[in-house]
Amino acid sequence: MSAGTQEEAPGGGPTVLRILLGSQLRKLRESKGITRESAGYEIRASGSKISRMELGRVSFKERDVADLLTLYGVDDSAERESLLSLARQANSPGWWQQLNDVLPSWFQAYLGLEAAATLIRTYEIQFVPGLLQTPEYARAVIMLGHAGATAEEINRRVEVRRQRQAILTRSGGPQLWAVIDEAVLRRPIGGVDIMRAQIEALIEASKLPSVRLQIIPFTAGGHAAAGGPFAILRFPEPELPDVVYVEQLTSAIYLDKREDVDQYAMAMERVCIDAEPPNHTPEILGKLLNEVGRPI
């Protein structure tokens, strides 16, 4: 995924590197029986700061990592240098940081995870997934939530979506498995012409080897994940757990505890069963294309 001036390696990126480093630091701390509060005191910070570091939620100061390694008894020069090098790499900016004036910090974290994932499973009930939106549809969606934004700001937000979508055709990029409620496709966001173009784009996207697209028809009735949209991301590094992303109006929730992830994974499995098989998707979209704008 190119930022124009920087390209992140497939399967990598600063977000995942921070998570990996944080995980290593947590294991070292726990092996020595040191509390987060004691570790925080060592680097002139709080226990909550150590918690954020171990979760990969903040950037790392190389000096802090060095002090923690000393506290944890890491004396081997090669091991120290490996972890310090990881800290330096983890502080590299992601491509989206050039657009951080229009991106909330909680969403920037998701972009890092998305860029590093090998599998993205997403369920949507209101909008076409961002990775599959046309620029015109994306613009209409953005304007719904940012009615007072300037034209320049809207353009920059549309550009974020465009750059995100590069992962679907990138060598070594993730697989996208999207399940969309039929209501998404019946709602003419931006008008009939924009919606028709969006459905046509979904037909083409469904042919990509990196995309699996399923539609839940109205005839399916209620289903397991009716509570709201979410995404589950999986990463190539075996040390990293799957992460569930649930977006809210002004923030987002990231879940990686096994019991939470398992609940969402089961809900995702059930909606995939409720949905029409992927090989039916082009035919369903073709029929919907002819019905856009008609009364339901």
Side-chain angles (χ1 to χ4, degrees):
M1 181 179 298
S2 174
T5 58
Q6 177 176 339
E7 182 167 335
E8 291 191 13
T15 302
V16 166
L17 295 180
R18 286 198 299 268
I19 294 172
L20 283 172
L21 178 56
S23 176
Q24 292 296 316
L25 291 175
R26 178 182 55 79
K27 291 175 182 177
L28 289 168
R29 177 182 60 77
E30 291 178 344
S31 71
K32 294 295 183 178
I34 297 171
T35 66
R36 291 191 181 93
E37 288 69 27
S38 297
Y41 180 80
E42 184 69 18
I43 62 169
R44 303 151 298 279
S46 64
S48 61
K49 171 68 177 293
I50 295 296
S51 177
R52 292 194 298 274
M53 291 175 66
E54 292 179 351
L55 291 170
R57 302 281 170 79
V58 294
S59 59
F60 293 88
K61 292 181 180 178
E62 190 173 342
R63 172 186 170 185
D64 289 345
V65 174
D67 289 345
L68 289 174
L69 293 177
T70 299
L71 177 65
Y72 301 158
V74 180
D75 300 321
D76 181 78
S77 59
E79 184 179 1
R80 287 180 67 92
E81 179 51 36
S82 175
L83 291 169
L84 289 172
S85 175
L86 190 57
R88 289 190 289 270
Q89 295 175 57
N91 286 331
S92 300
W95 64 264
W96 53 88
Q97 290 189 359
Q98 63 180 313
L99 299 164
N100 62 10
D101 58 318
V102 295
L103 293 176
S105 59
W106 51 265
F107 186 63
Q108 292 183 46
Y110 176 76
L111 293 179
L113 296 173
E114 183 180 76
T118 54
L119 173 64
I120 302 168
R121 301 181 72 181
T122 184
Y123 167 69
E124 288 288 347
I125 61 173
Q126 183 164 352
F127 300 119
V128 170
L131 288 174
L132 299 176
Q133 292 179 6
T134 66
E136 294 77 16
Y137 182 94
R139 185 179 302 277
V141 170
I142 291 166
M143 290 179 69
L144 286 174
H146 302 86
T150 65
E152 173 61 20
E153 182 179 338
I154 296 295
N155 289 340
R156 288 167 67 81
R157 290 179 183 275
V158 172
E159 176 63 11
V160 170
R161 278 175 170 70
R162 188 193 69 78
Q163 293 204 40
R164 285 173 62 195
Q165 292 170 359
I167 63 174
L168 296 180
T169 53
R170 183 188 71 191
S171 175
Q175 292 287 312
L176 173 66
W177 188 346
V179 182
I180 303 176
D181 193 280
E182 182 179 341
V184 171
L185 305 169
R186 296 281 188 181
R187 187 175 293 112
I189 301 294
V192 172
D193 290 344
I194 287 177
M195 198 64 218
R196 287 180 59 84
Q198 176 63 74
I199 293 175
E200 290 173 343
L202 288 174
I203 293 173
E204 293 305 309
S206 69
K207 300 175 185 177
L208 292 174
S210 60
V211 175
R212 176 180 291 188
L213 180 60
Q214 292 182 261
I215 311 298
I216 300 182
F218 287 146
T219 54
H223 44 81
F230 63 91
I232 306 175
L233 300 98
R234 179 164 295 169
F235 307 96
E237 294 81 1
E239 302 93 338
L240 293 180
D242 289 358
V243 173
V244 175
Y245 173 76
V246 183
E247 187 169 314
Q248 301 174 328
L249 185 60
T250 58
S251 63
I253 299 173
Y254 295 84
L255 304 169
D256 59 7
K257 290 183 179 179
R258 182 62 179 269
E259 56 267 29
D260 292 329
V261 174
D262 285 349
Q263 287 291 320
Y264 276 91
M266 286 188 291
M268 183 68 82
E269 291 294 339
R270 289 196 293 268
V271 297
C272 288
I273 292 171
D274 291 340
E276 291 291 322
N279 62 319
H280 291 185
T281 297
E283 180 184 355
I284 294 170
L285 291 173
K287 290 180 179 177
L288 286 169
L289 186 61
N290 294 323
E291 297 174 8
V292 171
R294 295 180 186 175
I296 297 176

